[in-house]
C-alpha cells in the first residue's frame, strides 16, 4: 500500500526486523511492536482502499470486496478490538449485502477517525489517506475529520 498512500511502512517493518535480528529477546520484543505497527498501518490502508474500490462499477466488485476483507483479517488481531469488531461486522462479505452506496466505507472511516489508537500506536492520521486519489475527498464525502498524525514514529 505504500505506493498508493506515499508511505514507507514496508521499509519500517523491514528496519525493525533487521534491528532485532541479532539481539536478545527483550530487544526482539521491542522491535516486534514496530513490525506490528507497520502491519496495522498497511492493512488499515488496505481496508479503506478496497472499500472504496469495490464501489467502482467498472471493477470486479466481489474481488475487491474479498481482497479488502482478506487484508483486514491479516492484521485484525493487532488492531484495537472495537475497531476490529466494527470492521468485521461491516466489511465481512459473509454477513453483509453488497453496499449500494458509500455507507460501508464511511462507517469504517468514521470508526477509524474516532479511534485514537488503531493498534500499536498508529492513528488514522498516520495513514496518509488523502494521498490515494480515490480517497482524496474522504473527509467531505464521509463527513469525517482525519486526526493529525500521532507523535509516535509510526507514520510512513
Amino acid at each position: 500500500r505504500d505506493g498508493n498512500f506515499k508511505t514507507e511502512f514496508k521499509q519500517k517493518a523491514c528496519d525493525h526486523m533487521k534491528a532485532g535480528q541479532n539481539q536478545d529477546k527483550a530487544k526482539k520484543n521491542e522491535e516486534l511492536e514496530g513490525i506490528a505497527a507497520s502491519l496495522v498501518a498497511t492493512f488499515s490502508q488496505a481496508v479503506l482502499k478496497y472499500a472504496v474500490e469495490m464501489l467502482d462499477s467498472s471493477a470486479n466488485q466481489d474481488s475487491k470486496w474479498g481482497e479488502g476483507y482478506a487484508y483486514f483479517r491479516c492484521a485484525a488481531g493487532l488492531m484495537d478490538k472495537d475497531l476490529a469488531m466494527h470492521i468485521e461486522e461491516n466489511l465481512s462479505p459473509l454477513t453483509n449485502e453488497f453496499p449500494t452506496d458509500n455507507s460501508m466505507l464511511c462507517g469504517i472511516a468514521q470508526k477509524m477517525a474516532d479511534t485514537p489508537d488503531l493498534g500499536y500506536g498508529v492513528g488514522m492520521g498516520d495513514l496518509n489517506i488523502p494521498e490515494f486519489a480515490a480517497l482524496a475527498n474522504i473527509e467531505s464525502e464521509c463527513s469525517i475529520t482525519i486526526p493529525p498524525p500521532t507523535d509516535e514514529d509510526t507514520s510512513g
Side-chain angles (χ1 to χ4, degrees):
R1 304 292 67 96
D2 286 336
N4 300 123
F5 294 91
K6 297 180 177 57
T7 53
E8 296 180 358
F9 293 116
K10 178 181 175 183
Q11 184 61 53
K12 286 181 176 277
C14 290
D15 291 346
H16 285 289
M17 287 179 202
K18 290 177 186 172
Q21 183 173 331
N22 297 316
Q23 302 298 322
D24 63 18
K25 191 171 184 176
K27 178 65 174 167
K28 287 179 188 301
N29 285 335
E30 181 183 315
E31 297 303 332
L32 282 171
E33 290 192 18
I35 295 166
S38 294
L39 293 172
V40 167
T42 296
F43 293 117
S44 294
Q45 289 171 329
V47 165
L48 294 173
K49 175 186 187 294
Y50 289 102
V52 73
E53 286 183 348
M54 67 189 254
L55 298 174
D56 180 352
S57 61
S58 68
N60 182 340
Q61 293 174 306
D62 287 336
S63 175
K64 296 290 185 181
W65 190 5
E67 268 187 270
Y69 181 68
Y71 281 128
F72 158 67
R73 295 299 325 146
C74 290
L78 301 173
M79 292 179 172
D80 170 83
K81 68 177 183 161
D82 293 331
L83 173 63
M85 287 174 36
H86 179 86
I87 296 172
E88 177 67 37
E89 290 168 1
N90 290 278
L91 185 63
S92 174
L94 305 173
T95 57
N96 291 286
E97 296 294 321
F98 192 86
T100 57
D101 59 19
N102 69 356
S103 59
M104 179 187 292
L105 166 67
C106 290
I108 292 169
Q110 182 66 62
K111 185 66 175 176
M112 284 186 182
D114 292 344
T115 304
D117 183 348
L118 306 182
Y120 287 86
V122 175
M124 187 182 194
D126 300 323
L127 305 179
N128 221 15
I129 301 300
E131 287 296 326
F132 182 56
L135 294 170
N137 298 317
I138 193 168
E139 289 183 289
S140 61
E141 289 175 11
C142 293
S143 300
I144 65 166
T145 300
I146 297 174
T150 63
D151 291 336
E152 309 250 343
D153 185 21
T154 57
S155 61

